[in-house]
Amino acid sequence: MGKAPLSYLETTEDESMYSDVPTTSTKPVRGRKRKNPETATKEPKVTGRANAKRARGNRGILKELVEMPLDVLFEIFGCLEPIDLLQLSWTSKALRALLMNRTSASLWRQTFQNLPSPHPPECPDDLNEPQYTELLFRKACHFCGKSIGTIHVAWAARLRSCTKCLDIHLQRMGFEIKPYGHLLQRLLPRIELKKKYGQHKRGTAFACPKIDRAWIDQYESIDSTSAKRVWLEETMKRQTVIEDHAKACEEWSEIVQRRLEGQKGKVIDDRREQVREYIRDLGWGEELDLLKSWHDRPERIPIVDRAGRKELTDSVLGSLEQPLITFMEGAKARRLDSIHMGIASKRLNDLRAVRQAWVETLPANSIYPTSSELMRLPFVKDIFDNLSKGESLTEANLESVRLELDDLNVEWQENIKNELVEIASKGYEDDPVDPETVLTLATTFFACKTCYRVRLLRYPNILMHKCATTLDWQSSHEGEPEARFLKRHFQETFWNAKGHIVCEPAHRAFVVELVRLAGLDPVTATAGDMDAVDPIFECVPCNSVTKGRATMSWKTAVDHRFASDQHRDSTVTVKEIFKPVLLDESEASVVRPRMREEKERKLRDEEYNCYRNGMVCTRCKKTGNFLLLWKHFREEHKISNPTDEDIVPGIDSASNPPLYRHWPPRPADEVEGDDD
C-alpha cells in the first residue's frame, strides 16, 4: 500500500526520501507583511544610529560543525539518539540537507540502537526513519501543532491528535457497515479512548476519514466482483501487517511511559527525602519519626508538593522553612491530642460501665443521664481534671461516682429543666413565664425537629428523647473539645447540643384553644387538669361517611393537628384546617370506653405492631411490641395474662390513644368538602 492512504506525513515525487519530515512546528508560517508600492521606492529614513536589525543568539555557531569531515561528523552523530538528529535537522539548512539525505539512512538506523531497551519496532516500509522518529518521540498534535493536554496516537494511521481535534479532523465510529465490508472495516485505523474525556465516553472510537475515503473510492471504482474480492484480500493482508506493527508500537510506548513515570516518581521521592532531611536539620527529626499516617506527612502540604516538582535549591528550601515549622507544630499538637483522647476514651468507658450497672437497678421508664452528661457535671469533671494526663480512673474514683449517682441524676435533671424553661419561654413569646410551673402547664409542648414526623413531647418524657443526645447525619466534629471527643469516639453529644428540641408558638396557640373549649384557664391549667377532665374532641374535616366521625383525646388532637399528613402542611385549604369541636358529655361518655377498647384492639393487631417496638416490660425492662412482650411474659415470667401495669409504653414512645371513628358519621351537608 502506498503512502497516501496511510500517512499524514506525505511526500511528493520530486522530493528526496527524507525531505518531508515536519519542521519544529506544524503551524503554517505567516507571510511577510506586504510593502506598499508607493512607499517601496522611498529612501530609508536616516537617523543617527545604524539602521540594522540586531541578531538574536549566536548566529553561525554551527557553521564549523558542518565543515568537519563527514567521517568525524557521522562518528559524533552516531552516539546520539534519533530525536537528537531530528532536532539537529531543524537548526540549519546545511544540517537538514545533510541529515535528510538518503546517504544518512544508515546513521539514522544506528541511532535507534542507542535507545535504552526495549528498542522500538523496526521502521515500517511506509515510513522513513525521520518520519518514524517524529511519530515515536514528538508529542505535538498533527493538526493544530499543540502539545498540551492529552495526545492520542493512531499508530496504524501514523498520526497524533489532541482531544479537541478528534471531532474536527476525525470521524466518530458508528455501527454502520462500510461499502467494503465489516472484515476490512475492523482494520480501519482508529483512536479508541481508554477513559472519559469531556463529552467523549470511555471506548469511543475515532477513525481516519482520509483512509476510509480512499478505501471506499478504490472499492467502488472496481466493477468486477472477483476483482473486488482480490482487492479486499490484498488490502487486508497489507493492513494486517500494519496493525501488527501498530500493536507493537503501542506496547513499546506503554513500556516507555511506565519507565518514565517510574523515573519521575523516583526523582520526586528523592526530593521528598531531601525535604525530610531539611526538617531534621530544623530540629524536628524526632517528631517526624513519630508521624505514622500518610495524611500527616509534610509532603502533603501544597507548597511543598509544588516545590518538589522542580530542583530543590537552598533558596527553595529556605522558602519552605516557616510552612514546615508550622506544619510540624500542628502535627505535634494533633498527636498529643490523639494520645489524650485515647486516655479520655478509657476513662469514659470506665464511667459508662459504672453508669450502666446503676441504670440496671432503676425501675422501667426511669429518667437518667447519658455518660456524656455525667462527664459534664462538676463532681465528675473535677475527678477527671485532677488526674494527670496519662492516668486512668482508679477504683476509688469510680466508687465515689457510684455513691453519688442518685444525687448526680437529680442535679442533671435540674440542669435540663432549666434549659427546658428557657426553650419554653420562646414558645410563649411575650407572655410571662413562671419557671416553677411552666413545664407542667397543659399548653407546654416540645417538638423534635429531627424526627421523621413532628413529635410533640411533654416534660419529663422529653428528657429521655433519643434525638436529643444522638448525632444526625449532618453532625460534624466542630465545637468544643469535649463535644468533638464524644462525636468522634462514642457518636454522642450533649443534650440538645444541636438545638433540635424547640417550643413553637403555633403549637401553644392550638393547645390554648383546646384548653378553653374544655372550660379551663390556659394560664393556669396543667396537663393533670386536662387529663382529669378528659375532654373528647372531633375533627370535622376528617369526617367519613364510610368510617365515621374522627374523635380523639386532647393529646391526640395535638398530634393530629401537627403530625398528620392532612393538617400539618401550612398550605392546606380552609376546609382542611383542623378546627376542634368539643363533644358534649353524653357523647364523650360513650366514646371514652370505646376509645380504650380500640387501643387494646390495636395493641393486639399484628400489622399495627410491626413498626411499634416502644413497649417495655416493667419486670425486666425488655423492650419490643405488645405481642412480643405478651409472649415474653408467658415464657419468661410464667404469667399467662399480664396486666396494663406489666406492659407499658416506653418513656420515649408514642403513647397517646389512637383516633377513634365514632358512629354514625355526620351528614354530608354538615361537612364542607366531605369526599366520601
Side-chain angles (χ1 to χ4, degrees):
M1 181 176 291
K3 293 181 183 179
L6 289 178
S7 177
Y8 277 69
L9 305 174
E10 298 185 9
T11 62
T12 57
E13 294 297 331
D14 58 342
E15 290 179 323
S16 68
M17 174 182 174
Y18 291 78
S19 62
D20 58 335
V21 181
T23 56
T24 55
S25 175
T26 57
K27 293 183 179 180
V29 180
R30 293 183 180 179
R32 294 183 179 179
K33 185 177 180 181
R34 292 184 177 180
K35 295 182 179 180
N36 190 334
E38 297 180 359
T39 60
T41 58
K42 290 183 179 180
E43 294 295 330
K45 186 177 180 179
V46 179
T47 62
R49 295 180 297 175
N51 192 17
K53 293 183 179 180
R54 178 179 298 177
R56 291 183 299 173
N58 297 324
R59 303 178 69 85
I61 193 171
L62 298 177
K63 181 179 179 181
E64 297 181 359
L65 181 64
V66 296
E67 295 176 353
M68 297 175 63
L70 284 181
D71 55 343
V72 176
L73 195 59
F74 274 43
E75 184 73 22
I76 296 173
F77 287 169
C79 299
L80 302 179
E81 294 185 358
I83 188 62
D84 299 324
L85 286 188
L86 186 63
Q87 291 171 342
L88 275 173
S89 69
W90 298 335
T91 58
S92 70
K93 293 181 179 180
L95 282 176
R96 180 172 179 82
L98 174 64
L99 294 175
M100 294 302 168
N101 194 286
R102 293 176 183 272
T103 58
S104 300
S106 60
L107 173 63
W108 284 89
R109 288 191 287 271
Q110 180 182 348
T111 58
F112 273 91
Q113 302 304 314
N114 297 334
L115 293 172
S117 181
H119 298 311
E122 293 292 332
C123 181
D125 295 337
D126 58 302
L127 294 179
N128 54 49
E129 281 77 6
Q131 288 177 326
Y132 192 40
T133 299
E134 197 278 340
L135 180 65
L136 289 176
F137 298 106
R138 291 207 66 208
K139 303 299 180 184
C141 173
H142 281 160
F143 301 109
C144 65
K146 298 179 180 179
S147 57
I148 59 176
T150 303
I151 301 297
H152 312 276
V153 182
W155 296 102
R158 319 309 191 200
L159 69 88
R160 290 187 303 270
S161 173
C162 63
T163 304
K164 185 177 180 180
C165 290
L166 289 176
D167 280 327
I168 301 175
H169 298 283
L170 302 182
Q171 63 183 17
R172 189 188 296 237
M173 294 288 291
F175 297 101
E176 70 278 2
I177 303 299
K178 302 292 183 179
Y180 43 77
H182 69 280
L183 294 177
L184 182 56
Q185 185 173 340
R186 288 186 300 181
L187 299 175
L188 181 63
R190 68 192 68 187
I191 293 175
E192 187 170 333
L193 303 184
K194 297 181 180 180
K195 63 179 182 179
K196 185 178 183 299
Y197 290 95
Q199 63 178 349
H200 304 307
K201 297 181 180 179
R202 178 178 178 270
T204 304
F206 295 87
C208 305
K210 190 173 182 179
I211 300 176
D212 181 35
R213 186 70 258 169
W215 284 356
I216 293 175
D217 292 343
Q218 294 175 28
Y219 182 80
E220 292 179 345
S221 65
I222 303 174
D223 297 329
S224 170
T225 303
S226 58
K228 286 184 177 181
R229 187 181 302 111
V230 172
W231 178 87
L232 278 174
E233 292 176 355
E234 293 177 353
T235 305
M236 289 179 61
K237 182 178 180 181
R238 289 195 299 268
Q239 194 62 27
T240 300
V241 174
I242 294 175
E243 284 293 330
D244 292 341
H245 183 272
K247 291 179 181 178
C249 288
E250 186 172 1
E251 293 175 358
W252 170 83
S253 177
E254 292 176 353
I255 294 174
V256 171
Q257 186 62 31
R258 287 195 297 269
R259 183 176 64 213
L260 292 176
E261 290 176 355
Q263 293 173 353
K264 181 180 178 181
K266 185 178 183 305
V267 171
I268 292 177
D269 290 341
D270 292 341
R271 290 172 180 170
R272 287 174 175 172
E273 183 60 33
Q274 189 177 352
V275 172
R276 286 191 285 268
E277 290 300 322
Y278 183 69
I279 293 174
R280 296 180 191 279
D281 294 339
L282 293 176
W284 289 92
E286 182 178 353
E287 189 63 34
L288 183 65
D289 294 335
L290 294 174
L291 297 180
K292 303 296 183 183
S293 172
W294 164 250
H295 298 283
D296 288 334
R297 306 301 296 181
E299 298 90 326
R300 291 183 60 84
I301 307 176
I303 189 174
V304 175
D305 181 63
R306 290 193 298 269
R309 300 178 187 274
K310 56 186 178 181
E311 185 179 357
L312 291 177
T313 62
D314 293 340
S315 176
V316 174
L317 289 173
S319 66
L320 298 177
E321 179 176 351
Q322 190 55 47
L324 289 173
I325 292 176
T326 302
F327 175 84
M328 294 306 298
E329 290 174 347
K332 181 178 181 179
R334 290 191 296 271
R335 180 179 62 82
L336 295 177
D337 181 63
S338 176
I339 294 174
H340 297 159
M341 287 296 181
I343 297 170
S345 176
K346 184 178 184 307
R347 293 174 182 174
L348 189 56
N349 279 330
D350 293 339
L351 181 64
R352 295 178 83 174
V354 171
R355 169 191 166 276
Q356 187 59 34
W358 168 68
V359 168
E360 292 176 357
T361 65
L362 300 176
N365 285 341
S366 295
I367 296 175
Y368 47 83
T370 63
S371 302
S372 306
E373 290 294 310
L374 276 179
M375 189 182 71
R376 199 159 57 155
L377 295 175
F379 179 82
V380 179
K381 188 174 178 59
D382 289 343
I383 294 177
F384 277 54
D385 292 342
N386 290 331
L387 295 174
S388 61
K389 290 184 177 181
E391 187 178 0
S392 301
L393 288 172
T394 64
E395 186 59 35
N397 297 140
L398 296 175
E399 182 62 25
S400 63
V401 173
R402 191 179 295 112
L403 296 175
E404 295 290 333
L405 281 173
D406 291 333
D407 293 336
L408 293 174
N409 187 20
V410 173
E411 180 183 355
W412 171 76
Q413 292 189 37
E414 190 65 26
N415 293 340
I416 303 302
K417 180 180 178 182
N418 294 334
E419 289 187 38
L420 288 172
V421 169
E422 184 177 352
I423 296 173
S425 64
K426 298 178 181 178
Y428 282 76
E429 296 181 316
D430 297 333
D431 294 340
V433 171
D434 184 358
E436 298 298 327
T437 61
V438 66
L439 298 182
T440 61
L441 293 179
T443 54
T444 303
F445 276 81
F446 297 95
C448 175
K449 298 191 295 184
T450 305
C451 292
Y452 173 69
R453 292 180 180 271
V454 177
R455 285 287 306 276
L456 294 175
L457 304 166
R458 291 194 54 81
Y459 174 84
N461 301 53
I462 188 66
L463 274 69
M464 296 299 292
H465 185 53
K466 187 176 181 180
C467 297
T469 55
T470 55
L471 297 175
D472 57 21
W473 64 274
Q474 295 177 325
S475 298
S476 63
H477 287 173
E478 299 177 357
E480 56 189 52
E482 293 87 352
R484 294 200 308 271
F485 166 73
L486 294 172
K487 292 174 185 178
R488 188 182 307 161
H489 294 277
F490 296 99
Q491 293 300 298
E492 287 183 1
T493 186
F494 297 130
W495 195 90
N496 201 31
K498 286 289 183 179
H500 295 317
I501 306 300
V502 296
C503 184
E504 299 287 353
H507 300 162
R508 173 177 172 263
F510 180 77
V511 181
V512 166
E513 184 179 358
L514 296 180
V515 175
R516 285 175 177 165
L517 288 174
L520 300 177
D521 183 3
V523 178
T524 59
T526 64
D529 296 335
M530 286 291 286
D531 289 338
V533 175
D534 195 12
I536 303 298
F537 296 94
E538 178 186 356
C539 177
V540 177
C542 289
N543 178 76
S544 171
V545 296
T546 59
K547 299 177 183 179
R549 297 158 62 185
T551 62
M552 61 204 77
S553 68
W554 75 282
K555 291 180 180 177
T556 304
V558 179
D559 284 336
H560 182 71
R561 167 62 182 85
F562 295 103
S564 65
D565 293 331
Q566 184 175 0
H567 301 298
R568 64 177 176 171
D569 190 354
S570 60
T571 62
V572 295
T573 60
V574 175
K575 66 180 181 181
E576 295 174 331
I577 295 178
F578 180 13
K579 294 182 178 180
V581 175
L582 179 68
L583 298 186
D584 57 39
E585 186 57 32
S586 60
E587 284 188 304
S589 60
V590 175
V591 169
R592 289 188 189 102
R594 293 181 180 178
M595 190 177 292
R596 288 191 290 269
E597 181 180 346
E598 180 71 12
K599 180 179 180 180
E600 294 297 324
R601 289 180 184 274
K602 288 201 171 186
L603 285 176
R604 289 159 176 80
D605 182 12
E606 291 186 2
E607 183 177 354
Y608 181 82
N609 276 273
C610 285
Y611 306 102
R612 289 168 171 81
N613 295 318
M615 307 299 287
V616 60
C617 170
T618 57
R619 305 210 174 189
C620 64
K621 295 189 287 187
K622 179 181 177 62
T623 59
N625 62 51
F626 185 87
L627 294 180
L628 289 176
L629 293 180
W630 184 278
K631 182 179 179 180
H632 162 75
F633 257 92
R634 298 178 63 182
E635 295 178 353
E636 300 296 332
H637 301 299
K638 309 303 180 183
I639 298 177
S640 58
N641 192 24
T643 65
D644 292 343
E645 296 180 354
D646 294 325
I647 303 176
V648 298
I651 193 170
D652 189 31
S653 65
S655 58
N656 296 331
L659 180 146
Y660 172 70
R661 291 290 180 176
H662 185 44
W663 196 264
R666 286 180 178 269
D669 57 356
E670 293 185 14
V671 184
E672 182 182 1
D674 196 333
D675 57 355
D676 288 318

